[in-house]
Amino acid sequence: MDHTVVIPPDAQLAPLLRAYDRAVAAKHRQFFIGLAFMAGAFALACIGAEIDPGLFWEKLGNFTSYFNRLAHLDTGAVVLSDPAEWFWGLRRWTRLLGETLLMAYVGTVTGAVLAFCGCFLCSRNLVSSALLRIVIRRIFEICRTVPDIVFAMIFVAAFGLGALPGVMAIAIHTTGALGKLFSEVVENIDMKPVEGIAASGGSWVSQVRFGAVPQVLSNFASYAVLRFEINVRGAAVLGFVGAGGIGEELIVAIRKFFYSDVSAILVMIVVCVMLIDTLSEKLRHRLLAMDERP
Amino acid sequence: MLVIDGMSCVFGQTRAVNNVSLSIPRGAFVGVIGRSGAGKSTLLRALNRLVEPSEGRIHWDNEDVSSLSGRALRDWRRRCAMIFQQFNLVGRLDVLTNVLTGRLAHTPGWRSNLKLWSADDRAIAMAALDQLDIANLAPQRADNLSGGQQQRVAICRALVQEPDIILADEPVASLDPRNARIVMDALQRINRHYGMTVLCNLHSLDLAHAYCDRLVGMAAGRVVFDDVPAALTEAAARELYGMEADEVLDAAPTGATQPDGVPAGAASNASAM
Amino acid sequence: MTGHSPLRDAFLANRDRIADQHAALLDPGWRSRMGTIAIFGGGIVLYIASFFLLDMSLSNLIGGFRRLADIVGLMFPPTPETWSRFYLYLGAIGQTLSIAFLGTLLAAVLAVPMGFLAARNVVANRLVHLLARRSLDTIRSVDTLIWALIWINVVGLGPFAGVLAIMCSDFGAFGKLMSEAIETASDKPVEGILSTGGSRFAAIRFGVVPQILPVFASQILYYFESNTRSATIIGIVGAGGIGLHLSELIRVLEWQQAAFVILMVLVTVAAIDQISQRLRGAIIGRRR
Ligand SMILES: Nc1ncnc2c1ncn2[C@@H]1O[C@H](COP(=O)(O)OP(=O)(O)O)[C@@H](O)[C@H]1O
Ligand SMILES: [Mg+2]
């Protein structure tokens, strides 16, 4: 015998294997039903989205040539050979990028403050009125389901072109997104401190201020910073619909085939977003490690 | 004087407190005993109005406090300070701020919410901490403290409320015996020194005998015993605690039969003063 | 100090001694709060300054709100006007869903090899993994709408560009998620398989993949959910889906129809949310 495991006679082994196969077969069947379903959905979606692999192959050359053109100045030189010419609009683009960051900042702060005010009012453990909770929850839901750029289009019609509609769109979308996250944090707090404050005669506001806020503050700040990061990306494209920031410059450059401008602006956006990502990640780690100091 | 008149608290099917009537004179140190689930916590929480009584009235010095609301309710809560088994401090705030939350009902909202405490309030809070020998802990975060220290902070919070009565819900159940003594001694000192009324839930008969001048026994939401500790015979205690009797009585082999724990408690108290 | 409770008087009686002993603790703490105050003050100043820097005046704001109220009034009642338009919008919603579905799926498929490349515990070569990480970050930091514009230049206007755009922006996110999931996966099963004499590939196939599969599947669903939202807007730049109609309706001020389309989007997104939440629950629940 060169096996350490003794192989039992077939009569004994067969039922065991069969039972195993049956169990596995059930799983496999489920898997294949899922797969078939996916394949069907895939085919349907291909028709829906007018997918044309032939076109893709045919145009794939365009893709490389497009990036090739992005990498060259009008003169035909490679962009890196003449950075001053490539970034000829540096001052203007920096100003627009700064404007974009400010839009994201004002929108995030406004939205975070509104979400902060609303989140305690829609938390089951702090508010007993179901009506109030549901109303606020619905408002948050609508605010976050409608994409910010749709709000921006509507606000451009009302407020005219400029940063104002963009800021408002970001603020509203942020209110909805943060409101949901905030209220989830609030619903998971330890209620003992809140009860302690209530028992010593604190008003509802005091119960929230001293019982709930210290527990949630670092989490809230971390979520708000994350949201700022997302909003910077969002603000960069709000200009597509005339709502301020660097987006307007970018869409004009793309539409008018100013290739080197497109690549220059894209590089600036990417660097800026990456910088903010890194900073915000550091900040969030510090925030979560820190708690409210007296 | 606190007068409870036919009070019941109903949660769905359970009558956690069932038609309880008691009157507690000023300056008394009353222990509430009974097995777990007897309704002791609910009784205390209903007095503070953290739980709404379903029936009955609560009077303090002829004032009906069971129908107060809003500002008046908050003032009543200030007057009956609550101490919890789990301390119920705000762990992330420092000790001094935790004590200062006892001043909330004395302070206008805009000041307290910005933490602009008056100099008097700060002095009072520090004095309270000083009295319980933990003034040096004032800048520490509350959740860095040991259980005994946290409960002393909670007592300070109760004291700076300038209450008329202290309701303590198993204040020492989460503490080791030494810290339990320290906390109970502190409550007794407050009771003796300021004539503060104390109503204290206790699981341990030993401590109940040592510190209380009157015991109220509860079972299934009803008051089934109400007398001086000496009157609680072992048989009565067994009846009160049922299945848990052995655990409670074993822990206090002398306490149940020899009700002379009071002088002992007073002695240790005298040394602490 | 008469008229106060004895407790208060008692506490304030030895005030001087306590002030002596604990002077530092009685300090209202302005100095220690300096940092917090500076950060908050700076934030508020920047906030107010932004209003000037961004040319957002109060009169603008007030006038705008009046017009906004008019617009909201014009939105009621939301209606598609004719049945044929309703079917048109329904078809566009279907196209939006197709775009989201295909984009997510393609991104997920492409992200798998990339995720392994970018995971520190799979590819030992620091350079490869750093390069993979950086390119994922770059791809991720370009918004879906920008990708859509680029792809329109390549394959022309239409939903195909939308699919490719969603695929690109999700590829970055998925790759990152995937590599993080792989890095945090427990290496005990891997060791177990290596200890039986399995190859490195087998170790990944049987040791890592079963661990990350449910996490990844639920992430894919989550992204499908959020891509449904993105897919509703890429039409704004001409990359297919309902966004095209929506932006057109807003441009020509057909507020009732625009409101109807927004409602359709809300309902669709809510429905997808529900379905994907159920599925995610099932996927994660079954594995427990
Ligand atoms: N908030 C509540 N909801 C429902 N039932 C409760 C609630 N609080 C207490 N009870 C019930 O009331 C009874 C008395 O509880 P409690 O007062 O905590 O007893 P004790 O403090 O004596 O252990 C228990 O049966 C408990 O389950
Ligand atoms: Mg209890």
Side-chain angles (χ1 to χ4, degrees):
Chain A
M1 248 307 137
D2 53 351
H3 291 293
T4 45
V5 179
V6 181
I7 295 179
D10 200 38
Q12 201 180 328
L13 189 60
L16 291 176
L17 283 177
R18 222 172 311 131
Y20 178 77
D21 285 344
R22 242 200 318 278
V24 171
K27 244 193 223 165
H28 278 186
R29 197 161 342 108
Q30 232 176 20
F31 178 76
F32 280 111
I33 291 174
L35 203 67
F37 182 75
M38 283 288 275
F42 184 79
L44 210 67
C46 281
I47 299 168
E50 299 164 21
I51 295 293
D52 185 351
L55 179 82
F56 184 67
W57 283 123
E58 187 185 312
K59 298 287 178 78
L60 198 62
N62 284 6
F63 186 65
T64 41
S65 79
Y66 187 75
F67 277 92
N68 201 26
R69 265 172 288 168
L70 285 185
H72 287 87
L73 297 171
D74 286 344
T75 58
V78 179
V79 284
L80 285 175
S81 68
D82 191 356
E85 177 62 27
W86 188 21
F87 284 99
W88 66 272
L90 187 64
R91 180 168 293 173
R92 177 182 163 71
W93 294 333
T94 311
R95 187 176 61 73
L96 285 170
L97 203 58
E99 196 180 300
T100 311
L101 290 182
L102 280 184
M103 282 168 60
Y105 173 73
V106 178
T108 311
V109 170
T110 313
V113 168
L114 290 176
F116 181 87
C117 297
C119 72
F120 297 107
L121 294 174
C122 70
S123 294
R124 195 187 305 272
N125 48 353
L126 292 177
V127 171
S128 52
S129 155
L131 182 69
L132 180 63
R133 285 198 319 254
I134 289 174
V135 167
I136 296 202
R137 263 169 204 263
R138 282 280 161 277
I139 293 175
F140 281 161
E141 206 173 308
I142 292 173
C143 287
R144 75 170 172 273
T145 307
V146 178
D148 50 3
I149 203 161
V150 174
F151 277 126
M153 286 192 294
I154 297 172
F155 292 156
V156 165
F159 294 87
L161 297 173
L164 183 59
V167 167
M168 288 188 57
I170 295 173
I172 287 190
H173 193 74
T174 302
T175 306
L178 285 183
K180 179 184 185 212
L181 292 171
F182 283 5
S183 66
E184 274 168 11
V185 174
V186 171
E187 289 200 328
N188 284 317
I189 60 169
D190 177 8
M191 284 302 284
K192 288 203 290 293
V194 180
E195 194 175 56
I197 304 287
S200 48
S203 62
W204 186 83
V205 175
S206 296
Q207 290 170 36
V208 170
R209 168 69 184 86
F210 291 100
V213 170
Q215 294 186 56
V216 299
L217 207 59
S218 53
N219 254 319
F220 278 18
S222 150
Y223 275 135
V225 171
L226 182 66
R227 195 70 222 175
F228 173 69
E229 189 185 318
I230 297 171
N231 283 343
V232 170
R233 271 170 240 218
V237 298
L238 285 182
F240 289 6
V241 295
I246 198 159
E248 186 140 29
E249 193 82 359
L250 180 63
I251 200 169
V252 168
I254 291 179
R255 292 245 157 100
K256 296 200 170 157
F257 304 106
F258 298 152
Y259 292 105
S260 66
D261 288 9
V262 172
S263 56
I265 295 173
L266 278 181
V267 165
M268 288 183 72
I269 291 178
V270 167
V271 168
C272 177
V273 167
M274 276 174 148
L275 219 66
I276 283 174
D277 273 17
T278 322
L279 286 179
S280 103
E281 203 171 322
K282 288 232 171 75
L283 191 61
R284 275 184 290 132
H285 280 298
R286 297 250 316 245
L287 279 172
L288 288 180
M290 183 187 85
D291 291 304
E292 192 187 29
R293 297 304 309 165
Chain B
M1 177 144 120
L2 179 72
V3 179
I4 307 167
D5 183 16
M7 185 174 80
S8 299
C9 296
V10 184
F11 299 113
Q13 297 295 317
T14 31
R15 293 183 81 84
V17 170
N18 196 353
N19 195 20
V20 165
S21 297
L22 282 175
S23 69
I24 292 162
R26 268 183 193 261
F29 196 125
V30 180
V32 183
I33 54 174
R35 68 181 84 167
S36 56
K40 308 184 294 293
S41 298
T42 309
L43 173 69
L44 258 59
R45 294 164 66 84
L47 293 180
N48 185 272
R49 302 276 310 277
L50 286 173
V51 169
E52 278 307 306
S54 320
E55 296 156 21
R57 306 261 120 215
I58 307 163
H59 292 271
W60 176 259
D61 286 352
N62 299 325
E63 180 194 1
D64 184 351
V65 294
S66 49
S67 57
L68 298 177
S69 65
R71 213 17 285 160
L73 171 62
R74 285 197 277 129
D75 192 59
W76 163 242
R77 284 179 168 164
R78 172 192 71 74
R79 283 185 283 158
C80 68
M82 192 95 186
I83 293 171
F84 299 85
Q85 178 180 349
Q86 298 294 334
F87 329 126
N88 289 25
L89 298 178
V90 186
R92 299 190 177 208
L93 294 179
D94 61 328
V95 166
L96 189 66
T97 311
N98 264 296
V99 176
L100 282 165
T101 57
R103 304 292 300 172
L104 282 172
H106 296 272
T107 315
W110 68 270
R111 290 198 67 137
S112 59
N113 288 324
L114 292 172
K115 291 195 190 169
L116 298 172
W117 311 101
S118 71
D120 273 6
D121 283 350
R122 300 176 76 86
I124 289 172
M126 277 310 291
L129 286 169
D130 187 65
Q131 194 166 76
L132 284 147
D133 292 329
I134 46 174
N136 55 326
L137 297 178
Q140 298 236 21
R141 260 177 58 159
D143 51 9
N144 288 340
L145 269 48
S146 73
Q149 290 168 333
Q150 289 198 36
Q151 195 59 293
R152 279 189 276 167
V153 174
I155 293 177
C156 289
R157 174 170 72 185
L159 286 181
V160 303
Q161 288 178 224
E162 299 171 29
D164 294 328
I165 177 171
I166 289 183
L167 309 171
D169 186 6
E170 311 218 9
V172 296
S174 317
L175 305 180
D176 58 86
R178 197 180 67 84
N179 273 308
R181 282 269 163 201
I182 293 175
V183 166
M184 289 307 295
D185 283 347
L187 284 177
Q188 188 173 53
R189 196 162 68 230
I190 295 156
N191 169 250
R192 299 267 164 89
H193 201 273
Y194 302 109
M196 181 82 65
T197 319
V198 177
L199 188 57
C200 182
N201 284 353
L202 285 170
H203 196 68
S204 149
L205 266 185
D206 183 21
L207 289 172
H209 276 290
Y211 289 96
C212 306
D213 17 275
R214 175 175 158 198
L215 292 183
V216 173
M218 287 185 75
R222 292 179 181 278
V223 172
V224 293
F225 177 91
D226 185 0
D227 208 335
V228 290
L232 186 70
T233 61
E234 178 161 351
R238 283 205 174 274
E239 167 127 8
L240 196 57
Y241 279 96
M243 303 274 284
E244 294 170 20
D246 285 335
E247 170 199 333
V248 175
L249 294 174
D250 281 351
T254 54
T257 46
Q258 277 179 296
D260 56 6
V262 180
S268 72
N269 167 49
S271 67
M273 295 275 267
Chain C
M1 282 291 182
T2 47
H4 288 304
S5 74
L7 261 173
R8 181 192 173 97
D9 294 339
F11 283 146
L12 286 177
N14 37 16
R15 181 174 189 159
D16 293 336
R17 182 179 61 75
I18 287 168
D20 276 353
Q21 273 179 11
H22 308 289
L25 300 179
L26 277 172
D27 175 53
W30 289 116
R31 199 158 316 166
S32 66
R33 284 201 217 167
M34 229 32 197
T36 322
I37 292 170
I39 292 175
F40 265 90
I44 292 172
V45 168
L46 181 62
Y47 187 86
I48 294 169
S50 298
F51 276 79
F52 294 100
L53 292 170
L54 293 175
D55 263 342
M56 302 195 293
S57 69
L58 206 61
S59 60
N60 231 337
L61 202 66
I62 293 168
F65 270 117
R66 199 166 303 132
R67 269 189 304 266
L68 191 62
D70 289 344
I71 289 175
V72 172
L74 289 175
M75 283 181 171
F76 285 94
T79 158
E81 310 240 312
T82 63
W83 281 104
S84 66
R85 293 205 138 259
F86 175 68
Y87 293 128
L88 181 72
Y89 299 146
L90 212 56
I93 291 265
Q95 193 173 63
T96 300
L97 286 179
S98 305
I99 292 170
F101 178 76
L102 284 179
T104 316
L105 202 66
L106 290 176
V109 170
L110 289 179
V112 169
M114 199 63 179
F116 279 99
L117 271 188
R120 212 167 313 169
N121 52 348
V122 176
V123 173
N125 189 329
R126 253 184 81 76
L127 188 71
V128 171
H129 129 250
L130 204 74
L131 219 66
R133 269 284 157 91
R134 278 283 153 264
S135 40
L136 284 178
D137 281 348
T138 312
I139 295 174
R140 213 159 48 86
S141 53
V142 176
D143 195 88
T144 316
L145 276 183
I146 300 178
W147 277 118
L149 281 171
I150 293 176
W151 281 112
I152 284 171
N153 274 317
V154 177
V155 297
L157 290 172
F160 192 24
V163 171
L164 294 170
I166 293 222
M167 180 191 85
C168 278
S169 66
D170 269 18
F171 173 67
F174 275 151
K176 188 176 155 107
L177 276 173
M178 180 95 184
S179 65
E180 274 167 3
I182 294 168
E183 277 177 5
T184 53
S186 157
D187 49 7
K188 289 202 188 71
V190 176
E191 281 172 3
I193 294 192
L194 288 177
S195 76
T196 64
S199 70
R200 198 160 165 75
F201 179 79
I204 291 170
R205 163 70 185 84
F206 294 103
V208 177
V209 172
Q211 282 191 66
I212 58 167
L213 209 58
V215 181
F216 199 51
S218 98
Q219 283 293 343
I220 290 176
L221 276 170
Y222 180 75
Y223 268 83
F224 175 56
E225 218 176 296
S226 97
N227 282 339
T228 314
R229 288 159 216 239
S230 315
T232 57
I233 57 169
I234 50 175
I236 292 171
V237 295
I242 189 79
L244 183 65
H245 297 290
L246 186 56
S247 63
E248 193 57 25
L249 289 171
I250 292 177
R251 208 173 56 77
V252 300
L253 309 180
E254 281 281 357
W255 292 115
Q256 284 184 320
Q257 290 193 49
F260 186 80
V261 170
I262 290 175
L263 276 183
M264 282 176 84
V265 169
L266 287 181
V267 170
T268 313
V269 169
I272 295 288
D273 277 12
Q274 282 298 322
I275 295 170
S276 118
Q277 239 171 50
R278 291 263 167 82
L279 279 177
R280 266 189 292 157
I283 287 172
I284 293 178
R286 202 163 51 211
R287 297 280 163 165
R288 271 206 187 123

